[in-house]
Amino acid sequence: MNSDKIKKGINAAPQRTLLHALGLTDEEIKKPLIGIVSSKNDIVPGHMNIDKVVEAVKMGVSLAGGVPIVFPAIAVCDGIAMGHEGMKYSLVTRELIADSTEAMTKAHAFDGLVMVPNCDKNVPGLLMAAARLNIPSIFVSGGPMLAGTVDGKKISYSTVSEAVSRFKVGEIDEEKLNEYENNACPSCGSCSGMFTANSMNCLCEVLGMALKGNGTIPAVYSQRLQLAKHAGMKIMELVNNDIRPRDIMTQEAFENALTVDMALGCSTNSMLHLPAIAHECGINLHLDIANNISAKTPNLCHLAPAGDHFIEQLNEAGGVYAVMNELAKHGLLHTDIKTCTGKTVGENISGCEIKDTEIIRTYDNPYSKTGGIAVLKGNLAPDGCVVKRSAVAEEMMCHTGNARVFDCEEDALNAIYDGKINPGDVVVIRYEGPKGGPGMREMLNPTSAIMGSGLGNCVALITDGRFSGATRGAAIGHVSPEAAVGGNIALIEEGDTIEINIPDNTINILISDEELEKRREQWNPRQPKITTGYLSRYAKLVSSGASGAVLD
């Protein structure tokens, strides 16, 4: 066992005395030591219940003959961090989570890990740590929030975000805004649509790192505690059989994840996180393959923000395994690869049929014949950019308009609220990329302002930043190279014509190469916005959004 180095022999007596100081008995010290990474905190709604999940995991580990030992991981609530400098600290926590988990695990020689994450950067950060450490590991999330209800219609956090603009333009009054505010988030859990947290928790199932239901069983259901107990028991099988994350997270597993991502219509943030996790596995997951996978993968689900369905309904309709089984019937998944259950993908999903074809459509009756996400390229984004195609109105799939250029999120938001954005415009927000932000802020507030102002069917937004999974509309992010390193997005001028063609996967500024080069010669790099602390160090080390914004 990995922990033998701190438990066995005369030389380990000093370590054993400290284990005794924890209250561990000789009998416990002889057993495998299982680290349980708890992301419990009291500020993130998706994490306030994780102490209950952790207690259930501990019970499962003990039942199966291991010794559970809890240590923490941080987590930021993107919704609370949204719209102010706090959002600069969201993506960057992914690396902190991975690094601190690596440090705790290596320092204390655990034999296996049970990761208990839930929200946006917490899940990929711990997946990165699992891949990097490569000791037996399994995931069980805190679970999704239930949807709220107003006027008999299910709503979520994103409804409130858009309601702010609806109030500002006089569509609703303050009383209705307060009704949305007080009813949109009725329980603990990760926000109830197919936003980033739930996207990544569902993809944990697809990658083979979590048990069935991990992404969809609501946080408040007792099934969530049963799932946690089973995860605690299952880690002991993984330890005893020496099955490690890199045995599970193979090239084929990541291809499966991209395929199911397309079918579910996951958050565009998955296009940042999957390459970063693959990087830790020693796999180069280049997003050029995303469009090839999308071209043959139908979009089977329209979960919020793309539609009016929510994660609790996906759970009732058969969950992630039902989606996978439908795709596998048509040869779209690798089914003979290993998972944390000890069985193959094919064995896991066998017999998992769709229970509600309104929530999960069949292969023959999809929402679209192509997947939910598209990667666009052109002279505006030579290395690519990302759009959640399934959440774009049909009339915005092809759009040509005049650039309205802003060098930060706040300026763009003020212009939208002040009525300065006109139908047909293309809002460009730059210097918000991984280096330029720094931290690659999510742009939910501007996109919600566009939708809430009634401009969603006639205005596009382009940024080298990124979007919340709650964003809908023609919102195109991760433009690479970013403005801060001299990407062409830095050279756009007010009034330039921008052409977006999502079906053809292209995005261009309609000016000549000669004009671009002339502007490049006149462009001067901007001084860093932040010169001290973690964000300054992050800006110096972070790579392009096109490669997952990993640290070089």
Side-chain angles (χ1 to χ4, degrees):
M1 289 190 292
N2 189 47
S3 61
D4 285 350
K5 66 188 73 171
I6 64 168
K7 297 191 308 186
K8 284 193 172 182
I10 297 298
N11 291 342
Q15 284 96 336
R16 285 197 300 273
T17 195
L18 293 171
L19 296 177
H20 286 308
L22 295 173
L24 296 183
T25 65
D26 288 335
E27 291 82 359
E28 288 174 301
I29 291 173
K30 292 175 182 177
K31 295 180 179 181
L33 302 184
I34 305 300
I36 302 175
V37 188
S38 170
S39 56
K40 161 77 167 87
N41 64 49
D42 291 340
I43 188 61
V44 184
H47 292 236
M48 61 183 284
N49 67 314
I50 278 179
D51 55 339
K52 308 295 189 301
V53 177
V54 166
E55 286 303 313
V57 171
K58 290 172 66 177
M59 186 173 294
V61 170
S62 297
L63 282 170
V67 179
I69 301 175
V70 179
F71 65 90
I74 64 169
V76 163
C77 177
D78 280 20
I80 295 174
M82 195 72 67
H84 60 95
E85 67 177 353
M87 180 45 72
K88 294 179 183 291
Y89 287 87
S90 171
L91 180 61
V92 306
T93 64
R94 188 185 70 182
E95 322 310 310
L96 285 175
I97 290 162
D99 291 350
S100 59
T101 302
E102 175 192 2
M104 286 294 289
T105 302
K106 288 288 190 180
H108 302 105
F110 291 112
D111 297 302
L113 295 171
V114 182
M115 309 292 199
V116 191
N118 212 25
C119 288
D120 296 30
K121 282 1 126 275
N122 197 239
V123 185
L126 290 179
L127 281 165
M128 290 166 68
R132 187 185 303 172
L133 290 161
N134 203 34
I135 65 170
S137 303
I138 194 170
F139 280 65
V140 56
S141 77
M145 184 183 290
L146 296 175
T149 305
V150 168
D151 299 330
K153 182 179 179 181
K154 288 182 182 292
I155 63 169
S156 68
Y157 166 81
S158 63
T159 312
V160 184
S161 186
E162 292 183 14
V164 172
S165 288
R166 294 176 62 197
F167 171 76
K168 287 180 179 289
V169 300
E171 184 180 328
I172 60 173
D173 59 19
E174 188 172 358
E175 182 179 358
K176 178 58 71 173
L177 177 61
N178 287 337
E179 186 179 1
Y180 284 130
E181 176 185 333
N182 291 319
N183 290 281
C185 297
S187 74
C188 61
S190 48
C191 292
S192 55
M194 188 54 81
F195 310 149
T196 305
N198 292 327
S199 294
M200 294 309 302
N201 283 323
C202 287
L203 293 181
C204 282
E205 292 187 51
V206 186
L207 285 169
M209 291 297 292
L211 302 178
K212 179 184 178 183
N214 178 73
T216 60
I217 297 171
V220 294
Y221 283 15
S222 297
Q223 272 184 290
R224 176 62 50 181
L225 301 181
Q226 294 170 341
L227 180 72
K229 291 175 186 176
H230 284 134
M233 289 185 270
K234 187 61 67 173
I235 189 60
M236 297 309 299
E237 289 184 26
L238 295 172
V239 169
N240 292 334
N241 294 320
D242 195 30
I243 299 174
R244 300 170 181 245
R246 288 185 218 163
D247 298 328
I248 295 169
M249 291 193 286
T250 60
Q251 176 73 37
E252 292 79 9
F254 283 103
E255 290 174 7
N256 281 355
L258 281 172
T259 300
V260 178
D261 188 320
M262 298 299 173
L264 287 173
C266 290
S267 164
T268 53
N269 282 313
S270 63
M271 296 294 106
L272 275 177
H273 299 321
L274 288 174
I277 298 159
H279 175 76
E280 296 289 352
C281 293
I283 296 169
N284 180 20
L285 187 68
H286 202 283
L287 289 186
D288 283 348
I289 72 170
N291 287 337
N292 293 333
I293 290 175
S294 179
K296 60 183 180 181
T297 306
N299 178 225
L300 304 182
C301 300
H302 261 196
L303 298 150
D308 296 324
H309 301 149
F310 293 85
I311 299 297
E312 63 197 73
Q313 294 168 287
L314 176 62
N315 187 61
E316 293 162 4
V320 175
Y321 275 22
V323 175
M324 294 177 70
N325 190 37
E326 182 68 12
L327 296 172
K329 289 177 183 177
H330 299 274
L332 295 177
L333 292 183
H334 302 283
T335 57
D336 59 350
I337 55 176
K338 189 179 300 184
T339 73
C340 69
T341 66
K343 299 177 181 178
T344 65
V345 167
E347 290 171 327
N348 286 342
I349 65 177
S350 177
C352 295
E353 300 295 336
I354 299 170
K355 299 176 182 178
D356 186 337
T357 55
E358 283 298 309
I359 308 300
I360 305 172
R361 291 198 176 183
T362 62
Y363 178 89
D364 296 324
N365 182 38
Y367 283 99
S368 66
K369 293 182 179 180
T370 54
I373 289 177
V375 176
L376 314 183
K377 285 190 174 183
N379 68 357
L380 196 153
D383 293 342
C385 55
V386 180
V387 62
K388 189 169 185 174
R389 173 170 29 202
S390 60
V392 178
E394 185 61 34
E395 56 267 38
M396 290 299 292
M397 297 296 281
C398 296
H399 181 76
T400 301
N402 294 329
R404 304 296 306 281
V405 183
F406 304 92
D407 288 349
C408 67
E409 175 189 2
E410 289 83 358
D411 290 350
L413 186 61
N414 289 334
I416 298 166
Y417 282 154
D418 291 343
K420 296 179 180 178
I421 302 302
N422 303 309
D425 285 347
V426 178
V427 175
V428 178
I429 305 177
R430 61 192 181 189
Y431 295 102
E432 291 285 9
K435 287 183 179 292
M440 204 177 186
R441 285 195 286 182
E442 289 183 344
M443 304 290 168
L444 177 61
N445 284 355
T447 56
S448 294
I450 288 170
M451 298 302 297
S453 300
L455 297 171
N457 293 338
C458 56
V459 170
L461 191 153
I462 297 169
T463 181
D464 54 6
R466 61 195 179 92
F467 296 110
S468 165
T471 287
R472 64 190 178 106
I476 299 165
H478 310 189
V479 169
S480 301
E482 63 175 290
V485 299
N488 288 349
I489 189 173
L491 309 179
I492 300 173
E493 295 181 357
E494 187 83 6
D496 281 347
T497 302
I498 294 176
E499 183 180 72
I500 302 163
N501 190 318
I502 295 173
D504 286 350
N505 302 312
T506 60
I507 185 166
N508 288 290
I509 322 162
L510 298 186
I511 59 175
S512 66
D513 292 344
E514 291 76 16
E515 176 63 18
L516 269 176
E517 287 310 309
K518 178 181 175 181
R519 293 182 187 183
R520 189 179 309 283
E521 290 172 5
Q522 297 170 348
W523 177 78
N524 293 310
R526 290 176 171 256
Q527 293 301 310
K529 296 177 183 178
I530 295 174
T531 58
T532 60
Y534 177 53
L535 286 180
S536 176
R537 297 195 300 275
Y538 179 87
K540 293 174 183 175
L541 297 173
V542 70
S543 68
S544 165
S547 56
V550 297
L551 299 187
D552 289 331

